[in-house]
Amino acid sequence: MTQTPMSLLCFIAVCALATFMTRVLPFIALSRQADHPLILHLGRYLPPAVMLILVIYAMRDWRPFLNGAVNLTATGGPILLAGLIVAGLQLWRHNALLSIVAGTGAYMSMIQMMD
């Protein structure tokens, strides 16, 4: 099947619209229930839980103590330093967006410099 640039753009537009709608619909559907205790509970505890799951997933293959020493291999050092940067920024500024952007930027910069 040959894919033209227009068909790819349509595919991307449909995917973007579907993704956007799945993100927006819960907010629209639950907008009148914003004071419900379950919604307040989810709003308070779900974002940190999701962030913890993402951190565990990102570090799933990293072995911090490889062969009895701290793992500072080509990927171990950047993971450790980026994690420390994220933790430090989060403790200092309490801004999740700043922490995520700085940690991702630091990790990607270190990975690129080591190649």
Side-chain angles (χ1 to χ4, degrees), residues 80-104:
L80 185 61
L81 287 174
L84 291 173
I85 288 170
V86 168
L89 279 173
Q90 187 60 32
L91 289 173
W92 179 43
R93 302 302 294 175
H94 300 281
N95 186 332
L97 182 61
L98 174 66
S99 302
I100 292 168
V101 169
T104 303

PDB file of all heavy atoms in Angstrom, residues 80-104:
ATOM      1  N   LEU A  80      21.709   8.188  36.878  1.00  0.00           N
ATOM      2  CA  LEU A  80      21.901   8.624  38.260  1.00  0.00           C
ATOM      3  C   LEU A  80      21.945  10.152  38.363  1.00  0.00           C
ATOM      4  O   LEU A  80      21.262  10.747  39.207  1.00  0.00           O
ATOM      5  CB  LEU A  80      23.193   8.011  38.814  1.00  0.00           C
ATOM      6  CG  LEU A  80      23.491   8.272  40.270  1.00  0.00           C
ATOM      7  CD1 LEU A  80      22.403   7.694  41.153  1.00  0.00           C
ATOM      8  CD2 LEU A  80      24.840   7.679  40.649  1.00  0.00           C
ATOM      9  N   LEU A  81      22.719  10.806  37.476  1.00  0.00           N
ATOM     10  CA  LEU A  81      22.820  12.269  37.523  1.00  0.00           C
ATOM     11  C   LEU A  81      21.492  12.947  37.181  1.00  0.00           C
ATOM     12  O   LEU A  81      21.092  13.912  37.832  1.00  0.00           O
ATOM     13  CB  LEU A  81      23.920  12.756  36.583  1.00  0.00           C
ATOM     14  CG  LEU A  81      25.344  12.480  37.058  1.00  0.00           C
ATOM     15  CD1 LEU A  81      26.346  12.868  35.980  1.00  0.00           C
ATOM     16  CD2 LEU A  81      25.628  13.215  38.345  1.00  0.00           C
ATOM     17  N   ALA A  82      20.805  12.436  36.153  1.00  0.00           N
ATOM     18  CA  ALA A  82      19.508  13.033  35.790  1.00  0.00           C
ATOM     19  C   ALA A  82      18.501  12.847  36.915  1.00  0.00           C
ATOM     20  O   ALA A  82      17.714  13.758  37.202  1.00  0.00           O
ATOM     21  CB  ALA A  82      18.995  12.419  34.489  1.00  0.00           C
ATOM     22  N   GLY A  83      18.528  11.694  37.554  1.00  0.00           N
ATOM     23  CA  GLY A  83      17.630  11.470  38.689  1.00  0.00           C
ATOM     24  C   GLY A  83      17.918  12.421  39.830  1.00  0.00           C
ATOM     25  O   GLY A  83      16.995  12.947  40.467  1.00  0.00           O
ATOM     26  N   LEU A  84      19.188  12.663  40.099  1.00  0.00           N
ATOM     27  CA  LEU A  84      19.555  13.611  41.157  1.00  0.00           C
ATOM     28  C   LEU A  84      19.143  15.036  40.792  1.00  0.00           C
ATOM     29  O   LEU A  84      18.694  15.798  41.657  1.00  0.00           O
ATOM     30  CB  LEU A  84      21.054  13.538  41.433  1.00  0.00           C
ATOM     31  CG  LEU A  84      21.534  12.246  42.102  1.00  0.00           C
ATOM     32  CD1 LEU A  84      23.059  12.210  42.168  1.00  0.00           C
ATOM     33  CD2 LEU A  84      20.926  12.104  43.478  1.00  0.00           C
ATOM     34  N   ILE A  85      19.304  15.398  39.524  1.00  0.00           N
ATOM     35  CA  ILE A  85      18.885  16.735  39.072  1.00  0.00           C
ATOM     36  C   ILE A  85      17.374  16.900  39.246  1.00  0.00           C
ATOM     37  O   ILE A  85      16.898  17.922  39.759  1.00  0.00           O
ATOM     38  CB  ILE A  85      19.309  16.964  37.604  1.00  0.00           C
ATOM     39  CG1 ILE A  85      20.824  17.146  37.531  1.00  0.00           C
ATOM     40  CG2 ILE A  85      18.585  18.164  36.996  1.00  0.00           C
ATOM     41  CD1 ILE A  85      21.383  17.134  36.123  1.00  0.00           C
ATOM     42  N   VAL A  86      16.611  15.900  38.835  1.00  0.00           N
ATOM     43  CA  VAL A  86      15.147  15.963  38.960  1.00  0.00           C
ATOM     44  C   VAL A  86      14.744  16.058  40.430  1.00  0.00           C
ATOM     45  O   VAL A  86      13.907  16.895  40.801  1.00  0.00           O
ATOM     46  CB  VAL A  86      14.489  14.746  38.282  1.00  0.00           C
ATOM     47  CG1 VAL A  86      13.019  14.659  38.650  1.00  0.00           C
ATOM     48  CG2 VAL A  86      14.650  14.839  36.779  1.00  0.00           C
ATOM     49  N   ALA A  87      15.342  15.223  41.265  1.00  0.00           N
ATOM     50  CA  ALA A  87      14.986  15.241  42.696  1.00  0.00           C
ATOM     51  C   ALA A  87      15.353  16.588  43.320  1.00  0.00           C
ATOM     52  O   ALA A  87      14.564  17.167  44.079  1.00  0.00           O
ATOM     53  CB  ALA A  87      15.680  14.100  43.420  1.00  0.00           C
ATOM     54  N   GLY A  88      16.528  17.100  42.999  1.00  0.00           N
ATOM     55  CA  GLY A  88      16.954  18.380  43.551  1.00  0.00           C
ATOM     56  C   GLY A  88      16.071  19.526  43.108  1.00  0.00           C
ATOM     57  O   GLY A  88      15.668  20.374  43.926  1.00  0.00           O
ATOM     58  N   LEU A  89      15.752  19.568  41.811  1.00  0.00           N
ATOM     59  CA  LEU A  89      14.876  20.628  41.316  1.00  0.00           C
ATOM     60  C   LEU A  89      13.478  20.529  41.911  1.00  0.00           C
ATOM     61  O   LEU A  89      12.863  21.549  42.237  1.00  0.00           O
ATOM     62  CB  LEU A  89      14.786  20.583  39.788  1.00  0.00           C
ATOM     63  CG  LEU A  89      15.941  21.220  39.048  1.00  0.00           C
ATOM     64  CD1 LEU A  89      15.809  20.961  37.552  1.00  0.00           C
ATOM     65  CD2 LEU A  89      15.993  22.713  39.317  1.00  0.00           C
ATOM     66  N   GLN A  90      12.973  19.301  42.054  1.00  0.00           N
ATOM     67  CA  GLN A  90      11.628  19.136  42.604  1.00  0.00           C
ATOM     68  C   GLN A  90      11.580  19.583  44.057  1.00  0.00           C
ATOM     69  O   GLN A  90      10.630  20.227  44.492  1.00  0.00           O
ATOM     70  CB  GLN A  90      11.168  17.684  42.458  1.00  0.00           C
ATOM     71  CG  GLN A  90       9.745  17.465  42.838  1.00  0.00           C
ATOM     72  CD  GLN A  90       8.756  18.272  42.004  1.00  0.00           C
ATOM     73  OE1 GLN A  90       8.986  18.534  40.837  1.00  0.00           O
ATOM     74  NE2 GLN A  90       7.666  18.679  42.611  1.00  0.00           N
ATOM     75  N   LEU A  91      12.623  19.253  44.818  1.00  0.00           N
ATOM     76  CA  LEU A  91      12.668  19.679  46.213  1.00  0.00           C
ATOM     77  C   LEU A  91      12.834  21.195  46.328  1.00  0.00           C
ATOM     78  O   LEU A  91      12.304  21.836  47.238  1.00  0.00           O
ATOM     79  CB  LEU A  91      13.802  18.967  46.943  1.00  0.00           C
ATOM     80  CG  LEU A  91      13.589  17.476  47.197  1.00  0.00           C
ATOM     81  CD1 LEU A  91      14.849  16.852  47.770  1.00  0.00           C
ATOM     82  CD2 LEU A  91      12.408  17.257  48.127  1.00  0.00           C
ATOM     83  N   TRP A  92      13.586  21.770  45.396  1.00  0.00           N
ATOM     84  CA  TRP A  92      13.876  23.203  45.467  1.00  0.00           C
ATOM     85  C   TRP A  92      12.718  24.053  44.953  1.00  0.00           C
ATOM     86  O   TRP A  92      12.283  25.002  45.609  1.00  0.00           O
ATOM     87  CB  TRP A  92      15.152  23.503  44.678  1.00  0.00           C
ATOM     88  CG  TRP A  92      15.547  24.942  44.638  1.00  0.00           C
ATOM     89  CD1 TRP A  92      15.535  25.838  45.662  1.00  0.00           C
ATOM     90  CD2 TRP A  92      16.005  25.654  43.491  1.00  0.00           C
ATOM     91  NE1 TRP A  92      15.969  27.068  45.232  1.00  0.00           N
ATOM     92  CE2 TRP A  92      16.281  26.982  43.904  1.00  0.00           C
ATOM     93  CE3 TRP A  92      16.242  25.291  42.175  1.00  0.00           C
ATOM     94  CZ2 TRP A  92      16.746  27.944  43.031  1.00  0.00           C
ATOM     95  CZ3 TRP A  92      16.731  26.242  41.315  1.00  0.00           C
ATOM     96  CH2 TRP A  92      16.967  27.559  41.740  1.00  0.00           C
ATOM     97  N   ARG A  93      12.196  23.720  43.766  1.00  0.00           N
ATOM     98  CA  ARG A  93      11.216  24.579  43.113  1.00  0.00           C
ATOM     99  C   ARG A  93       9.774  24.061  43.184  1.00  0.00           C
ATOM    100  O   ARG A  93       8.851  24.795  42.884  1.00  0.00           O
ATOM    101  CB  ARG A  93      11.591  24.799  41.642  1.00  0.00           C
ATOM    102  CG  ARG A  93      12.961  25.406  41.412  1.00  0.00           C
ATOM    103  CD  ARG A  93      13.132  26.739  42.076  1.00  0.00           C
ATOM    104  NE  ARG A  93      12.236  27.687  41.446  1.00  0.00           N
ATOM    105  CZ  ARG A  93      12.070  28.924  41.842  1.00  0.00           C
ATOM    106  NH1 ARG A  93      12.739  29.375  42.872  1.00  0.00           N
ATOM    107  NH2 ARG A  93      11.254  29.729  41.228  1.00  0.00           N
ATOM    108  N   HIS A  94       9.577  22.783  43.459  1.00  0.00           N
ATOM    109  CA  HIS A  94       8.237  22.187  43.507  1.00  0.00           C
ATOM    110  C   HIS A  94       7.477  22.426  42.198  1.00  0.00           C
ATOM    111  O   HIS A  94       6.281  22.695  42.199  1.00  0.00           O
ATOM    112  CB  HIS A  94       7.415  22.722  44.674  1.00  0.00           C
ATOM    113  CG  HIS A  94       8.031  22.450  45.998  1.00  0.00           C
ATOM    114  ND1 HIS A  94       7.952  21.226  46.615  1.00  0.00           N
ATOM    115  CD2 HIS A  94       8.757  23.235  46.824  1.00  0.00           C
ATOM    116  CE1 HIS A  94       8.595  21.278  47.764  1.00  0.00           C
ATOM    117  NE2 HIS A  94       9.103  22.489  47.914  1.00  0.00           N
ATOM    118  N   ASN A  95       8.179  22.320  41.098  1.00  0.00           N
ATOM    119  CA  ASN A  95       7.581  22.535  39.784  1.00  0.00           C
ATOM    120  C   ASN A  95       7.834  21.285  38.947  1.00  0.00           C
ATOM    121  O   ASN A  95       8.960  21.041  38.497  1.00  0.00           O
ATOM    122  CB  ASN A  95       8.195  23.771  39.131  1.00  0.00           C
ATOM    123  CG  ASN A  95       7.512  24.124  37.827  1.00  0.00           C
ATOM    124  OD1 ASN A  95       6.962  23.273  37.138  1.00  0.00           O
ATOM    125  ND2 ASN A  95       7.558  25.402  37.481  1.00  0.00           N
ATOM    126  N   ALA A  96       6.794  20.478  38.733  1.00  0.00           N
ATOM    127  CA  ALA A  96       6.948  19.211  38.019  1.00  0.00           C
ATOM    128  C   ALA A  96       7.409  19.422  36.585  1.00  0.00           C
ATOM    129  O   ALA A  96       8.259  18.675  36.084  1.00  0.00           O
ATOM    130  CB  ALA A  96       5.637  18.436  38.050  1.00  0.00           C
ATOM    131  N   LEU A  97       6.874  20.425  35.909  1.00  0.00           N
ATOM    132  CA  LEU A  97       7.256  20.656  34.516  1.00  0.00           C
ATOM    133  C   LEU A  97       8.739  21.007  34.418  1.00  0.00           C
ATOM    134  O   LEU A  97       9.459  20.473  33.563  1.00  0.00           O
ATOM    135  CB  LEU A  97       6.402  21.767  33.911  1.00  0.00           C
ATOM    136  CG  LEU A  97       6.684  22.075  32.440  1.00  0.00           C
ATOM    137  CD1 LEU A  97       6.418  20.846  31.577  1.00  0.00           C
ATOM    138  CD2 LEU A  97       5.832  23.238  31.975  1.00  0.00           C
ATOM    139  N   LEU A  98       9.218  21.873  35.289  1.00  0.00           N
ATOM    140  CA  LEU A  98      10.635  22.240  35.292  1.00  0.00           C
ATOM    141  C   LEU A  98      11.500  21.018  35.566  1.00  0.00           C
ATOM    142  O   LEU A  98      12.520  20.790  34.899  1.00  0.00           O
ATOM    143  CB  LEU A  98      10.897  23.324  36.346  1.00  0.00           C
ATOM    144  CG  LEU A  98      12.366  23.698  36.555  1.00  0.00           C
ATOM    145  CD1 LEU A  98      12.930  24.362  35.320  1.00  0.00           C
ATOM    146  CD2 LEU A  98      12.508  24.593  37.769  1.00  0.00           C
ATOM    147  N   SER A  99      11.108  20.196  36.521  1.00  0.00           N
ATOM    148  CA  SER A  99      11.887  19.015  36.868  1.00  0.00           C
ATOM    149  C   SER A  99      11.946  18.029  35.713  1.00  0.00           C
ATOM    150  O   SER A  99      13.003  17.485  35.398  1.00  0.00           O
ATOM    151  CB  SER A  99      11.288  18.330  38.098  1.00  0.00           C
ATOM    152  OG  SER A  99      11.251  19.209  39.179  1.00  0.00           O
ATOM    153  N   ILE A 100      10.803  17.802  35.067  1.00  0.00           N
ATOM    154  CA  ILE A 100      10.756  16.846  33.957  1.00  0.00           C
ATOM    155  C   ILE A 100      11.586  17.343  32.786  1.00  0.00           C
ATOM    156  O   ILE A 100      12.394  16.605  32.211  1.00  0.00           O
ATOM    157  CB  ILE A 100       9.295  16.596  33.531  1.00  0.00           C
ATOM    158  CG1 ILE A 100       8.559  15.841  34.639  1.00  0.00           C
ATOM    159  CG2 ILE A 100       9.234  15.835  32.221  1.00  0.00           C
ATOM    160  CD1 ILE A 100       7.060  15.790  34.442  1.00  0.00           C
ATOM    161  N   VAL A 101      11.420  18.604  32.426  1.00  0.00           N
ATOM    162  CA  VAL A 101      12.152  19.152  31.279  1.00  0.00           C
ATOM    163  C   VAL A 101      13.659  19.173  31.560  1.00  0.00           C
ATOM    164  O   VAL A 101      14.461  18.760  30.712  1.00  0.00           O
ATOM    165  CB  VAL A 101      11.633  20.570  30.938  1.00  0.00           C
ATOM    166  CG1 VAL A 101      12.548  21.256  29.944  1.00  0.00           C
ATOM    167  CG2 VAL A 101      10.220  20.485  30.395  1.00  0.00           C
ATOM    168  N   ALA A 102      14.054  19.613  32.738  1.00  0.00           N
ATOM    169  CA  ALA A 102      15.484  19.678  33.068  1.00  0.00           C
ATOM    170  C   ALA A 102      16.088  18.278  33.157  1.00  0.00           C
ATOM    171  O   ALA A 102      17.199  18.047  32.654  1.00  0.00           O
ATOM    172  CB  ALA A 102      15.674  20.431  34.380  1.00  0.00           C
ATOM    173  N   GLY A 103      15.381  17.344  33.763  1.00  0.00           N
ATOM    174  CA  GLY A 103      15.895  15.981  33.870  1.00  0.00           C
ATOM    175  C   GLY A 103      16.019  15.306  32.518  1.00  0.00           C
ATOM    176  O   GLY A 103      17.030  14.662  32.226  1.00  0.00           O
ATOM    177  N   THR A 104      15.008  15.467  31.685  1.00  0.00           N
ATOM    178  CA  THR A 104      15.063  14.873  30.348  1.00  0.00           C
ATOM    179  C   THR A 104      16.170  15.515  29.522  1.00  0.00           C
ATOM    180  O   THR A 104      16.932  14.822  28.842  1.00  0.00           O
ATOM    181  CB  THR A 104      13.710  15.047  29.631  1.00  0.00           C
ATOM    182  OG1 THR A 104      12.699  14.447  30.431  1.00  0.00           O
ATOM    183  CG2 THR A 104      13.725  14.402  28.269  1.00  0.00           C
TER     184      THR A 104
END
